[in-house]
């Protein structure tokens, strides 16, 4: 292994060739490197921050460590005989300490050791394209190492949070998802701008950890890209937990007159909100602005358009894998793309047949048809495939089948007063499922069964023979099928 900062004695000669060069050592880049090395290809990985990336240190792992005790307490409060024992506040310090453990205290030794174990060479620094199949790495000490790739360069640089350009925003020092997941205390008052996944998860976490949360939503509701009932159930629960939700409002300015004082959030209806911190959860942009794309005829700062093998359109050597290609901005989906792209790179390097037909070994077809996602709020929301609206916009002849999750025997045992809903979207021409959504406590682990049904295009006639165990919440599958069959 070569680490250009950890061991000055191990440096790479300028122009040193590799079969594959990966820019970005998050989960996606790690998996591209793993697949390339498994195929016997020499591989270099370039990382400017922590090996392990956004997911390990500022997204998936810390956010779920914050959310787990909040949701567990909410579930416990609905169980007779247990509810009275969990009425007190959470131990916020203990929750934050566990979050720190889950992020390895923002140290990447273990992740570096893993890449070392698969045989990839790690270069610390900023990687930029300086021509076809060429990456120049600028190390923290300013030295440069030029890497060349015989077969492929894979861009796995992910995304960054977008903070709107508003009056006073720079001086206000707003939170993005990074600050929200790594904060060392619960702010007394927190304003969250945005009702997507990051917004609702962080509102759930910090409200549960003692903050007074106000959610500001420009449009009509939460989780707008999912079935409408999902956002409605999450909104109801947030309000019951004490959060305030204001819809149909936009932020026009942010003021923090004293660097250590409160922030004033001005709204387009003339009102204002005061808080100790403000989190903007208003979207993501690709990390491609300082990547050297102009040296290979591509636009800096743009999303990279790829085919189903994740190869950038118009090239035969450049791949863009994970969030940076804007196909499905989820860690697990990026890792799936990495497995597909790694296999495609290896096949092309060995001049083997490449199968890019739908659901082929070298096609990330699930990006279009079977993307799974869990929102770890109270209640949880889980979905895969198309919503009813998406299916209708695509011109499919469909039927939505809904069922009250609270009516399932397993749900009644799981929690007193269980509230939830399930929907499956049926392709009436093929009698297969195009999409499934669950919203309710404890339903995240139901999702993989739905993912198999959608990705496998399992006929409803065969799903009828997949018998759910009684009494579990998964019995909702039987109820959905019964409702569909009539």
């Amino acid at each position: 292994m070569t680490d250009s900062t950890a061991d000055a004695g191990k440096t790479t000669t300028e122009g040193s060739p590799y079969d594959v060069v990966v820019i970005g050592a998050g989960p996606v880049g790690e998996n591209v490197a793993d697949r390339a090395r498994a195929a016997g290809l020499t591989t270099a990985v370039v990382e400017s921050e922590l090996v392990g990336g956004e997911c390990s240190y500022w997204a998936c792992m810390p956010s779920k460590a914050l959310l787990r005790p909040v949701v567990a307490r909410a579930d416990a409060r609905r169980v007779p005989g247990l509810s009275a024992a969990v009425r007190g506040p959470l131990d916020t310090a203990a929750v934050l300490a566990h979050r720190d453990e889950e992020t390895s205290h923002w140290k990447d030794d273990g992740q570096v050791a893993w890449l070392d174990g698969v045989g990839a060479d790690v270069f610390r620094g900023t990687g930029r394209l300086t021509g076809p199949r060429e990456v120049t790495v600028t190390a923290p000490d300013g030295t440069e190492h030029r890497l060349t790739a015989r077969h492929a360069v894979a861009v796995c640089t992910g995304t960054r949070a977008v903070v709107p350009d508003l009056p006073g925003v720079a001086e206000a020092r707003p939170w993005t998802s990074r600050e929200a997941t790594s904060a060392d205390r619960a702010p007394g008052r927190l304003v969250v701008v945005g009702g997507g996944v990051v917004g609702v998860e962080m509102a759930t976490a910090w409200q549960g950890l003692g903050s007074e949360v106000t959610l500001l939503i420009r449009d009509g509701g939460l989780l707008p890209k999912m079935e409408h009932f999902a956002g409605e159930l999450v909104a109801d629960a947030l309000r019951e937990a004490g959060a305030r939700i204001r819809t149909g409002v936009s932020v026009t300015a942010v003021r923090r007159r004293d660097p250590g004082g409160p922030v004033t959030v001005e709204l387009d209806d003339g009102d204002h909100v005061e808080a100790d911190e403000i989190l903007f959860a208003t979207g993501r942009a690709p990390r491609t602005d300082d990547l050297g794309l102009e040296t290979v005829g591509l636009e800096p700062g743009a999303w990279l358009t790829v085919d189903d093998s994740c190869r950038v359109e118009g090239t035969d050597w450049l791949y863009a894998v994970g969030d940076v290609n804007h196909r499905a901005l989820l860690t697990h989906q990026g890792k799936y793309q990495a497995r597909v792209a790694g296999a495609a790179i290896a096949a092309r390097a060995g001049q083997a047949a490449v199968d890019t037909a739908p659901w082929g070994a070298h096609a990330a077809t699930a990006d279009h048809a079977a993307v799974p996602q869990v929102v770890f709020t109270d209640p949880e929301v889980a979905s895969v495939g198309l919503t009813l609206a998406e299916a209708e916009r695509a011109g499919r002849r469909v039927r939505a089948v809904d069922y009250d999750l609270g009516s399932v025997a397993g749900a009644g045992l799981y929690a007193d007063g269980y509230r939830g809903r399930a929907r499956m979207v049926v392709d009436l021409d093929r009698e297969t499922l195009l999409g499934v959504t669950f919203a309710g406590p404890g339903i995240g682990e139901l999702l993989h069964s739905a993912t198999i049904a959608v990705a496998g295009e399992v006929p409803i006639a065969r799903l009828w023979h997949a018998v759910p165990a009684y009494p579990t919440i998964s019995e909702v599958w039987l109820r959905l099928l019964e409702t569909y069959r009539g």
Side-chain angles (χ1 to χ4, degrees), residues 39 61 66 111 115 151 166 177 192 202 267 269 303 305-306 330 339 344 378 380 400 406 409 421 453-454 457 473 482:
M61 296 305 292
L66 294 174
Q111 302 267 14
L115 275 176
H151 300 295
L166 296 170
S177 53
V192 178
M202 289 298 93
L267 306 177
D269 62 0
W303 300 100
T305 303
V306 299
L330 296 159
R339 296 189 293 271
D378 171 36
E380 290 180 342
R421 188 170 173 185
V454 172
E457 300 176 334
I473 301 175
E482 287 175 335

Side-chain angles (χ1 to χ4, degrees), residues 193 215-219 246-251 267-269:
V193 183
L215 264 167
L216 302 177
I217 313 299
R218 184 175 57 187
D219 299 315
R246 298 185 59 175
T247 60
V249 295
S250 294
V251 178
L267 306 177
D268 61 353
D269 62 0

Side-chain angles (χ1 to χ4, degrees), residues 46-275:
V46 182
E47 177 53 55
S48 61
E49 293 187 291
L50 294 176
V51 174
E54 200 80 11
C55 175
S56 298
Y57 306 106
W58 300 287
C60 313
M61 296 305 292
S63 67
K64 279 43 180 188
L66 294 174
L67 283 159
R68 176 60 189 148
V70 174
V71 173
R73 180 182 61 175
D75 284 346
R77 284 178 171 176
R78 302 184 185 105
V79 178
L82 178 60
S83 57
V86 288
R87 286 294 164 190
L90 291 169
D91 183 342
T92 301
V95 173
L96 296 181
H98 178 246
R99 183 272 319 270
D100 294 351
E101 290 178 7
E102 290 296 325
T103 60
S104 301
H105 299 271
W106 290 276
K107 296 179 181 178
D108 63 1
D109 299 11
Q111 302 267 14
V112 171
W114 184 86
L115 275 176
D116 189 17
V118 302
D121 288 355
V122 178
F123 291 84
R124 299 280 197 176
T126 301
R128 297 180 183 88
L129 294 166
T130 47
R133 294 184 173 84
E134 182 178 281
V135 175
T136 297
V137 183
T138 304
D141 64 4
T143 60
E144 292 187 348
H145 302 271
R146 185 176 301 153
L147 310 175
T148 58
R150 297 184 186 93
H151 300 295
V153 173
V155 174
C156 307
T157 50
T159 59
R160 57 177 173 80
V162 173
V163 175
D165 185 15
L166 296 170
V169 73
E171 295 79 10
R173 304 184 317 280
W175 281 6
T176 67
S177 53
R178 283 198 169 195
E179 290 77 19
T181 57
S182 62
D184 60 3
R185 59 179 176 81
R189 299 164 299 171
L190 174 66
V191 166
V192 178
V193 183
V197 175
V198 172
V200 297
E201 286 194 344
M202 289 298 93
T204 300
W206 289 112
Q207 180 70 37
L209 290 169
S211 300
E212 295 179 4
V213 172
T214 299
L215 264 167
L216 302 177
I217 313 299
R218 184 175 57 187
D219 299 315
L222 307 184
L223 300 175
K225 295 183 179 180
M226 307 184 89
E227 300 285 9
H228 65 87
F229 61 82
E232 292 170 358
L233 285 165
V234 172
D236 289 346
L238 278 168
R239 290 191 181 100
E240 290 173 8
R244 288 169 290 185
I245 302 175
R246 298 185 59 175
T247 60
V249 295
S250 294
V251 178
T252 58
V254 184
R255 312 287 182 196
R256 195 191 295 264
R257 291 179 174 84
D258 180 350
V263 60
T264 300
V265 185
E266 298 178 8
L267 306 177
D268 61 353
D269 62 0
D271 199 1
H272 70 277
V273 181
E274 278 207 350

Side-chain angles (χ1 to χ4, degrees), residues 331-400:
T331 295
H332 50 268
Q333 212 65 22
K335 291 164 71 173
Y336 159 72
Q337 291 176 17
R339 296 189 293 271
V340 169
I345 291 168
R348 288 174 175 138
Q351 299 184 328
V354 177
D355 181 6
T356 56
W359 306 112
H362 309 113
T365 310
D367 287 350
H368 311 297
V371 174
Q373 181 172 18
V374 178
V375 185
F376 293 84
T377 44
D378 171 36
E380 290 180 342
V381 178
S383 68
V384 63
L386 303 181
T387 63
L388 175 61
E390 288 170 338
E392 290 176 338
R393 284 197 298 269
R396 309 295 283 267
R397 196 171 70 90
V398 295
R399 175 185 165 193

